[in-house]
Amino acid sequence: MHPTEIESCLERMVVLTDSREHDTEKFHRRMDEFGLWERTTLYYGDYTAKTSRNDGSEISLVGKVHVERKSGLSEIIGNFCESALDSPYVQEWNKEHPTEKIRNRFEWELKRAQLAGAKMYLVIENASWEHIYGHRYESRMNEKAVIATILAYMARYNLTVLFINDRMTGHFIRDIFKYEMREELKKYE
């Protein structure tokens, strides 16, 4: 694809937002920062993107690149502590794969993305590794357990974990998709 068509496609890029994202003031700020966006049902992650070529054909990152956003350490640590054992899908998976047991719903989401071949980014707002090591979060979960869980998920599911101030989340997520989409568009003639 010619560089001018790539730039044109990037200008038309639409960030797809999961329909379960809560309708808050911060949500609307992120959507404004995205520019073009639309709600849809995503099977994993909170966001992905699509665009169209000059001829109108669609190019999508659905099933290829997704971003999961967490509002802070308390949310992601809470996800680590949520059992997924009530899910019949997880029960079946754990029965069939005893050496790859799924412990929580967040891990099940990562597993579904991995099985689909999707790249996942985890964006955690208003946090850092220093916050974790210093136990500057509201949970009794030991910081070593939090670190071990995050690093294990990064290794196991090829997860990229990024920390950011919530005032920049929308811009940052859009930039992730801009560069992921640019690389995707280079594959087209």
Side-chain angles (χ1 to χ4, degrees):
M1 186 179 293
H2 192 274
T4 56
E5 185 177 3
I6 288 175
E7 291 309 311
S8 180
C9 289
L10 292 173
E11 289 173 13
R12 289 190 296 272
M13 186 178 72
V14 176
V15 175
L16 303 175
T17 303
D18 188 66
S19 57
R20 293 167 290 218
E21 274 283 270
H22 298 292
D23 193 3
T24 65
E25 184 179 322
K26 286 183 180 182
F27 168 82
H28 288 285
R29 186 174 71 218
R30 279 191 305 279
M31 298 309 107
D32 288 345
E33 292 168 357
F34 290 162
L36 301 173
W37 65 278
E38 70 181 56
R39 280 193 181 266
T40 189
T41 301
L42 300 175
Y43 296 105
Y44 37 84
D46 295 321
Y47 308 101
T48 190
K50 69 177 183 180
T51 191
S52 58
R53 293 187 72 165
N54 292 343
D55 66 7
S57 61
E58 186 176 281
I59 298 174
S60 176
L61 295 179
V62 173
K64 296 177 183 175
V65 180
H66 290 254
V67 172
E68 176 75 18
R69 182 197 60 83
K70 298 297 179 186
S71 63
L73 288 172
S74 295
E75 182 180 3
I76 188 65
I77 293 167
N79 291 159
F80 295 161
C81 298
E82 277 180 348
S83 175
L85 298 179
D86 59 340
S87 164
Y89 303 110
V90 172
Q91 290 172 6
E92 183 178 337
W93 174 269
N94 285 344
K95 184 177 176 184
E96 293 176 7
H97 304 87
T99 62
E100 298 179 51
K101 288 193 184 274
I102 300 295
R103 298 180 306 172
N104 58 61
R105 289 182 186 168
F106 179 67
E107 185 176 16
W108 181 237
E109 190 167 354
L110 294 175
K111 176 53 94 176
R112 288 194 322 266
Q114 180 187 51
L115 292 171
K119 180 177 184 178
M120 285 289 289
Y121 288 90
L122 171 61
V123 174
I124 305 173
E125 296 174 327
N126 303 319
S128 67
W129 289 110
E130 291 82 7
H131 286 102
I132 300 170
Y133 277 97
H135 199 111
R136 293 194 310 243
Y137 52 86
E138 295 181 22
S139 172
R140 290 190 295 189
M141 188 174 187
N142 181 290
E143 57 273 5
K144 289 181 181 178
V146 174
I147 292 163
T149 301
I150 292 172
L151 293 175
Y153 288 174
M154 289 171 68
R156 193 176 301 150
Y157 301 109
N158 193 24
L159 177 68
T160 301
V161 177
L162 303 160
F163 298 98
I164 188 154
N165 184 294
D166 70 351
R167 292 186 307 270
M168 297 304 300
T169 303
H171 295 293
F172 189 65
I173 291 172
R174 182 162 181 84
D175 285 345
I176 288 171
F177 291 127
K178 176 183 175 183
Y179 289 96
E180 289 286 352
M181 184 66 80
R182 183 186 306 275
E183 293 305 310
E184 181 69 17
L185 293 170
K186 289 178 182 178
K187 298 175 186 174
Y188 291 82
E189 292 296 320

